[in-house]
Structure formats: C-alpha cells, structure tokens
Amino acid sequence: MPSLVLASASPARLATLRSAGLDPAVVVSGVDESQLTGLAPADLARGLAELKCGAVAEREDLAPDALVLGCDSVLELDGQALGKPDDAADATARWRAMRGRSGVLQTGHCLRDVASGRTVSATASTTVHFADVTDDEIAAYVATGEPLHVAGAFTVDGLGGAFVTSIEGDFHNVVGVSLPLLRGLVADLGHRWTDLWALDR
C-alpha cells in the first residue's frame, strides 16, 4: 500500500488527515514562498502547493511507494491573497477589514506518486462568512497569538471558530486540506483512498 507524506508543518492539516484515518509522515519543504508573485489567489495557492510537493518529492530518503502531498492556503479578500499576517498589527488590520464580510479560502493541493513520477494538482475554494466582531474581540483574539500562525489570520476549528458565522463548501478545506478533493487526486493517480487508511497501524 502507498505511504502518505505530508509536505507541510501545519498541525491542523496533520490532525485532519489523522482524523480521516490516515497516518502521514511529515517532511517540511522549507521552500521560499516569496518566489511566486503576481498570481491570482487560487493560482498562488496551487503554485505554492506544487513547490512544496516538488521539494519534498525530490528527497532521496523517501519510501519508493510514497505519495507526497503539498498544500498551501490563502484567503482571497478583495482580490488579494492573504497568507499568514506579518505581525499583530497586520492581523488586527485584517480582521477590521474582514469583519461582517465574506472571503474565499483557497487551498492548493499537489500530490505526487514517487514510484511513477506522476503529479496531479487542484485548488479547493470555500466561502467563509465572518461575524461583525468588535474591536475588543479582535484585540483579544490577536493577543492569543492564534491568528498570527494561520492563513487569513483565522481558524474555524480553534478560537476563531466563534467569529465565523457560516461557510459554503468543504469545512476541512478551511482547516487546511480538502478531504474530498484529495480523495479525487489519489484516484487520479490510480490508488484507492481506503488503501491509505491506517486503521490497523
């Protein structure tokens, strides 16, 4: 059975995959994300996922049957791609711009079959509706540090969940990896999703 390698340091992505029955090894890509510029948000997310996947898939210490998954998320707001905020002031400014509005969480996925060398990629899009939070709530949330470490400066599965009124699309995509999309990519490479389950490991 193929083994899954997650080319991401995101604990939320790892937890999502584990909750879906998978047990991926984690290998952080370390790619320079600033090398991609001038792309539309959905294309940027996909391009960064492809860079991360490619960097890890080229390592010589991978299992010969490995499937390498690269992911990257950005929040599209007013046509701009928002990744992780630069600092607390940036996170505060973003929340003041986001509150009471909607954005689209774009997550790029890239999957490479090391054995065959084949690669498939796609972007999942989920609309996120934000609550009209107060300045005090924004300050308290930013002070926790949580929004400083995630794309779009929010989580839906953590402290930020109370500030998201609804979503349109795949919940798991907002967390960081779309399970239905990934299942499709696995099938595109000729594998069965259920073969990746690690229920007896």
Side-chain angles (χ1 to χ4, degrees):
M1 301 301 177
S3 58
L4 184 65
V5 176
L6 176 62
S8 170
S10 166
R13 288 193 181 105
L14 179 60
T16 298
L17 291 169
R18 284 179 170 168
S19 70
L22 284 62
D23 187 24
V26 175
V27 180
V28 181
S29 66
V31 300
D32 177 12
E33 297 187 9
S34 66
Q35 61 185 293
L36 291 184
T37 59
L39 297 175
D43 295 331
L44 176 62
R46 184 170 177 169
L48 290 172
E50 290 170 347
L51 282 177
K52 293 178 178 181
C53 177
V56 171
E58 291 168 4
R59 292 173 56 116
E60 296 181 354
D61 56 348
L62 294 181
D65 64 346
L67 296 177
V68 179
L69 172 64
C71 292
D72 198 89
S73 299
V74 298
L75 178 69
E76 181 176 353
L77 187 73
D78 296 328
Q80 301 297 310
L82 304 178
K84 297 175 184 176
D86 296 330
D87 51 30
D90 188 27
T92 299
R94 290 204 193 167
W95 263 100
R96 287 177 174 167
M98 288 159 32
R99 62 182 168 189
R101 301 181 60 202
S102 302
V104 179
L105 201 291
Q106 308 277 12
T107 300
H109 300 65
C110 182
L111 189 67
R112 181 178 297 182
D113 187 332
V114 172
S116 69
R118 292 182 59 210
T119 302
V120 289
S121 62
T123 300
S125 306
T126 303
T127 300
V128 183
H129 300 278
F130 298 104
D132 190 8
V133 292
T134 66
D135 286 347
D136 286 347
E137 286 175 315
I138 292 173
Y141 184 42
V142 172
T144 68
E146 181 182 89
L148 302 180
H149 306 294
V150 287
F154 78 98
T155 66
V156 71
D157 60 334
L159 297 175
F163 304 145
V164 175
T165 59
S166 63
I167 64 170
E168 298 172 41
D170 180 13
F171 168 85
H172 294 105
N173 186 54
V174 183
V175 180
V177 55
S178 170
L179 297 174
L181 185 147
L182 179 56
R183 173 180 167 270
L185 295 181
V186 169
D188 288 344
L189 291 177
H191 299 286
R192 295 187 304 178
W193 174 255
T194 52
D195 286 343
L196 294 179
W197 284 347
L199 304 180
D200 57 347
R201 296 179 197 172

